[in-house]
Amino acid sequence: MKMIPTIKAAAPGENGMMIQAEAVTKNETAFDGDAYSGGTMQQPWSECPVVMDLAGLRIAAQIPLLFNHYNSPDYRLGVMEVMNDKRKLSVSGSMDNETRLGAGIISSGKKYEWQLSVGTGPVERLEYIAPGRTVNVNGRNFTGPVNIVRECELREVSVVAVGADSNTHMRIAAGLFNNSQQIEGGHMKKELRNYIIARYGLANGADDAAVRAHLESIHRTEAQEQADFESGVVVQAGAQAPTGTIGAAGVSGAPAPVVQAAAIGGQSDNPAIQAAVEAALASRDTQENTRITQINAAFGSDFPELRAQALSERWTVERAQTELVAALRRARPSAGVFNIVSNSNESLNVGQVIQAAALLAGGIAGEEVIRMTSAPVVEAAGRRYRSGIGLQQMILEAAWANGSTERFLTVGNWYEVTAAACRGITAGFSNVNLPGIFSAVANKFLLDGFTYVDQSWREIAAVGSVNDFKEVTRYRLGADFKFQKVGKGGELKHGSLSETSYRNAAETYGLMIAITRQDIINDDLGALTTLPNQFGLAAGRSFNEVFWTEFLDNAAFFKTANGNLLTGNPLGVDGLTNAVKLFRALRDETKQLIGGTPKTLLVGPSNEVAADKLYNDTQMIAAGVGSSEKLVTNGNPHARKYKPVCSPYLEDADKTGHSATAYYLLADPKFRAVIEAVFLNGVQTPVIESSAAEFNTLGIQLRGYMDCGVRKQEPKAGIKVAGA
């Protein structure tokens, strides 16, 4: 199914938004501006500039004003009228200034420039203008390459922090809140000024500029302070501003705040109290300035209403960071659709194309990548990323698909871009899930590393699957009877069965690493390829440590009393002959011969060559001459009988039970197994999962883990030979 592009971008031009000084109603503030100037804009789904033809633009019945294209009632700021003169889009309407978001945008607009951005439904007709060709749209001439959106519907206009052109802006009138209730002849009323001085413990006699500067630092307005003053709030000298939403009735959900002073003059009658207030204020200034600086740095231009709340309610820096991360995860941007089409005009999964490009860049052969994805996906990856793909490009592609309009990844925006790239995890609207892509690519390199490590354990162990981490019991039925001759009456006698049980349980082994901020900024794809490969090597070594530590700690398992230990028998033709003889004499718990055949000869490196010779040497030699000539073997009756398996761990000096001369003759684990490895849900290899890091981790987290358990099982499934 082909994905249809939509428009979500501020266009170049003077599409600023002016918030007017006068209020429309008690709760509304008027605004007007230009939402689209008729020029070019950049869109994630287009590799060339885009122009929206205003002659073919339909205006929806109601156009809401949103924040940052977030399609949620919580981000609705108001409604507007849209005027289309076929050259630009002009808007006018009213914004609710009593909502936290609206008040925050208006307040922040005094310091930061806002812009407007248009949002449309699906593009219904798109025309591509080839390079060198000129077309007139919106009263202007545009030279290709350029995409002209001939038909679509305007659905919303959004207030955004950064648009497509640095010249676009929204100005907020400096005197927005200075109506007749708060000023006298351009100055703040004396009663209100003294009330604010007392409320916040400011220096006695502070002028209008100092008072307004303090209110601005905590993101409160003279109008809000006037409302509190008129509500009859009692004032105490030096009391801090209450938290919560403050209106005529005080703090929501709490009694009216009490802020004492001897009178509204702002000076306490008690010198001791006044001295304590001034000392606390002096101490608080440095801490407060540090808090404000750190919170502003954390938020940047994101979520201005939340930043205003953090400052005005005096959140700690830690709480502000936590709330910011939560807001990023809750955000649901209207994503610009990003699509890749194959040569046969087949719509491809963009995530798979990025994954294939990363695998190819990491050195995985094209044939193998095709097996993992498909031939059209690999072809599209090679065509789109001709020079290979880097870590930054992967992040940017995912961020664009999730609604980001950032064209580059820099030191200044790396966190925002990475957060947008990871946002698809919970948003559910994108086929580009960056952590999913990272996991798929990383798991391939992890598997290569894991399988590179010694796999000899697979030759001797039974492999089982468990559904959880509880200890499980394995049962084997032993036949405590013999077939007996049937009498003339044809009656069969009953036999009895005995149960032999063994236990095992899966446990989790894992490790956490991260693709760091430095890796991202350095565009180090090796963090996604080499690092997981090393992860796999570590996982393979760790599993071998668990497995062979359990296997070699076998002094109570292989012993003379069990009939499965042979001593003083070095590996050779005679030694192996004796071992086979002992194996065939093994009896079960009912004293019956198990009747099995040995399959595997397990040795350490010191015996590897001898074991290979015993298995491979099949030569015949001639003895005697003439009529006395005869063929005899070269002394190896064991050729091709017992498959040699070598593990270096048998001679690991760090492990209990290691030996350079000991070897083992074992049954097929499908018949009886001396040891069992179990895996949760049958997954026999480690996995890597990726996720957006928490705020205090500068990067993207990768966690690798493996759920497995190893226990010795059946003593009569093999013998140990302690060579001389």
Side-chain angles (χ1 to χ4, degrees):
M1 176 178 171
K2 187 172 182 180
M3 302 174 71
I4 307 300
T6 60
I7 304 291
K8 291 287 185 298
E14 292 295 330
N15 53 322
M17 174 180 175
M18 170 65 75
I19 304 262
Q20 298 176 1
E22 68 275 9
V24 179
T25 69
K26 179 180 178 181
N27 298 334
E28 295 180 347
T29 300
F31 67 86
D32 58 42
D34 293 332
Y36 175 55
S37 66
T40 59
M41 65 186 91
Q42 293 294 330
Q43 291 289 280
W45 48 265
S46 177
E47 296 183 357
C48 60
V50 175
V51 175
M52 188 165 59
D53 186 355
L54 294 176
L57 179 69
R58 300 190 309 279
I59 310 297
Q62 185 184 80
I63 303 297
L65 179 68
L66 303 180
F67 175 69
N68 208 29
H69 299 295
Y70 293 165
N71 186 14
S72 167
D74 293 337
Y75 294 93
R76 185 183 177 99
L77 301 173
V79 295
M80 70 188 77
E81 293 184 2
V82 180
M83 288 67 71
N84 182 359
D85 64 3
K86 305 300 187 289
R87 291 177 178 270
K88 67 178 181 179
L89 289 180
S90 301
V91 298
S92 63
S94 58
M95 186 188 306
D96 188 344
N97 60 29
E98 284 204 349
T99 65
R100 179 173 293 167
L101 179 58
I105 289 175
I106 294 170
S107 177
S108 296
K110 293 183 178 181
K111 291 183 176 181
Y112 306 101
E113 292 185 345
W114 293 104
Q115 297 178 355
L116 287 176
S117 175
V118 295
T120 75
V123 173
E124 299 166 19
R125 186 159 67 92
L126 187 68
E127 180 182 355
Y128 174 70
I129 307 301
R133 181 184 164 198
T134 300
V135 63
N136 186 278
V137 182
N138 302 333
R140 307 183 189 185
N141 290 327
F142 299 95
T143 301
V146 64
N147 273 320
I148 308 297
V149 177
R150 291 297 188 183
E151 293 183 17
C152 64
E153 182 180 51
L154 181 70
R155 302 296 301 277
E156 51 93 359
V157 174
S158 284
V159 178
V160 295
V162 180
D165 189 286
S166 59
N167 293 324
T168 65
H169 59 275
M170 177 184 78
R171 298 180 303 274
I172 293 182
L176 180 61
F177 295 110
N178 288 343
N179 59 38
S180 60
Q181 289 183 325
Q182 285 91 46
I183 60 174
E184 285 179 340
H187 299 286
M188 187 182 302
K189 282 185 177 181
K190 177 181 178 181
E191 292 84 356
L192 177 61
R193 182 176 64 252
N194 289 341
Y195 166 82
I196 296 172
I197 289 172
R199 179 182 179 87
Y200 296 104
L202 304 181
N204 190 34
D207 59 15
D208 288 5
V211 170
R212 287 184 177 131
H214 179 76
L215 293 180
E216 189 175 59
S217 72
I218 62 172
H219 283 250
R220 280 186 62 79
T221 66
E222 293 172 34
Q224 292 168 318
E225 296 296 334
Q226 180 72 25
D228 287 347
F229 177 58
E230 292 173 351
S231 68
V233 174
V234 184
V235 180
Q236 296 179 350
Q240 297 184 10
T243 60
T245 304
I246 301 178
V251 185
S252 60
V258 178
V259 194
Q260 288 181 351
I264 301 300
Q267 186 78 24
S268 172
D269 288 338
N270 188 325
I273 293 177
Q274 185 64 27
V277 167
E278 292 175 357
L281 179 62
S283 172
R284 189 178 69 228
D285 284 344
T286 300
Q287 297 173 358
E288 179 68 3
N289 289 338
T290 301
R291 184 184 71 89
I292 292 172
T293 299
Q294 291 178 347
I295 289 177
N296 282 334
F299 276 83
S301 59
D302 286 335
F303 300 100
E305 74 290 348
L306 189 62
R307 180 173 61 86
Q309 183 185 0
L311 292 172
S312 64
E313 295 184 2
R314 299 179 181 275
W315 290 357
T316 64
V317 175
E318 291 75 16
R319 179 185 174 188
Q321 292 173 342
T322 300
E323 295 288 347
L324 173 58
V325 172
L328 287 169
R329 290 177 175 174
R330 289 193 304 268
R332 298 291 190 273
S334 300
V337 178
F338 175 33
N339 194 31
I340 294 179
V341 178
S342 68
N343 283 338
S344 60
N345 206 34
E346 174 189 2
S347 182
L348 302 175
N349 182 290
V350 178
Q352 285 195 349
V353 175
I354 298 173
Q355 174 185 330
L359 291 169
L360 292 169
I364 303 299
E367 295 79 5
E368 189 168 356
V369 181
I370 289 174
R371 287 195 297 271
M372 297 175 64
T373 55
S374 69
V377 165
V378 173
E379 177 273 327
R383 174 164 44 88
R384 182 174 177 84
Y385 310 106
R386 298 183 185 277
S387 330
I389 193 170
L391 185 60
Q392 284 190 10
Q393 186 69 20
M394 292 179 68
I395 296 172
L396 281 167
E397 297 274 14
W400 295 337
N402 291 343
S404 174
T405 57
E406 296 285 351
R407 304 309 300 169
F408 303 98
L409 192 152
T410 67
V411 175
N413 72 0
W414 77 271
Y415 182 83
E416 290 79 6
V417 174
T418 303
C422 295
R423 202 171 290 154
I425 307 173
T426 55
F429 51 74
S430 173
N431 69 347
V432 181
N433 181 329
L434 181 67
I437 296 171
F438 275 10
S439 295
V441 173
N443 271 299
K444 170 57 185 169
F445 290 98
L446 175 142
L447 186 60
D448 285 352
F450 181 76
T451 55
Y452 182 80
V453 177
D454 178 53
Q455 298 288 306
S456 59
W457 64 270
R458 294 184 181 276
E459 300 287 341
I460 68 169
V463 176
S465 177
V466 293
N467 298 323
D468 52 38
F469 295 100
K470 296 192 295 288
E471 188 170 62
V472 296
T473 302
R474 307 295 197 191
Y475 293 96
R476 179 178 56 76
L477 296 179
D480 189 13
F481 59 88
K482 296 181 180 179
F483 272 36
Q484 299 182 20
K485 183 177 179 180
V486 179
K488 291 183 179 180
E491 180 182 357
L492 294 174
K493 295 185 178 181
H494 289 279
S496 62
L497 297 176
S498 63
E499 292 182 346
T500 303
S501 62
Y502 308 101
R503 296 184 177 274
N504 208 341
E507 296 180 290
T508 300
Y509 302 85
L511 184 67
M512 179 77 78
I513 56 175
I515 296 176
T516 67
R517 168 178 177 268
Q518 186 173 355
D519 294 328
I520 294 172
I521 294 171
N522 290 345
D523 202 14
D524 182 9
L525 187 63
L528 190 58
T529 56
T530 303
L531 190 60
N533 185 267
Q534 297 297 317
F535 221 115
L537 290 170
R541 288 193 297 266
S542 297
F543 180 79
N544 272 293
E545 287 290 326
V546 173
F547 183 91
W548 292 107
T549 296
E550 170 69 13
F551 180 86
L552 289 172
D553 188 11
N554 56 37
F557 188 84
F558 294 105
K559 57 185 180 180
T560 304
N562 286 339
N564 60 1
L565 177 64
L566 187 63
T567 59
N569 216 53
L571 184 61
V573 173
D574 294 337
L576 186 54
T577 299
N578 293 331
V580 172
K581 180 180 178 181
L582 180 63
F583 183 95
R584 294 189 184 280
L586 288 172
R587 294 178 179 270
D588 65 14
E589 64 280 356
T590 67
K591 308 303 181 183
Q592 296 187 68
L593 291 171
I594 64 171
T597 300
K599 177 183 179 181
T600 303
L601 176 60
L602 177 64
V603 300
S606 297
N607 277 327
E608 183 175 13
V609 173
D612 286 342
K613 285 181 174 292
L614 287 169
Y615 185 73
N616 293 315
D617 193 352
T618 59
Q619 293 180 350
M620 305 293 287
I621 60 174
V625 294
S627 60
S628 64
E629 180 179 326
K630 62 180 179 179
L631 291 176
V632 298
T633 68
N634 67 349
N636 178 21
H638 305 298
R640 298 294 177 183
K641 288 186 177 179
Y642 316 114
K643 181 182 178 181
V645 173
C646 178
S647 174
Y649 291 94
L650 265 65
E651 298 182 20
D652 184 355
D654 291 335
K655 290 182 173 48
T656 300
H658 73 278
S659 171
T661 59
Y663 57 96
Y664 300 81
L665 196 60
L666 307 174
D668 188 331
K670 295 178 182 178
F671 170 61
R672 290 194 180 193
V674 295
I675 194 167
E676 180 191 43
V678 295
F679 299 91
L680 185 66
N681 298 322
V683 180
Q684 299 180 27
T685 56
V687 295
I688 277 187
E689 294 177 349
S690 173
S691 67
E694 296 299 329
F695 195 92
N696 61 350
T697 303
L698 295 180
I700 298 174
Q701 291 176 336
L702 294 174
R703 62 187 179 202
Y705 61 90
M706 187 173 184
D707 302 310
C708 58
V710 180
R711 298 272 184 92
K712 289 187 289 293
Q713 298 288 310
E714 174 57 75
K716 302 304 179 67
I719 67 167
K720 176 180 179 180
V721 183

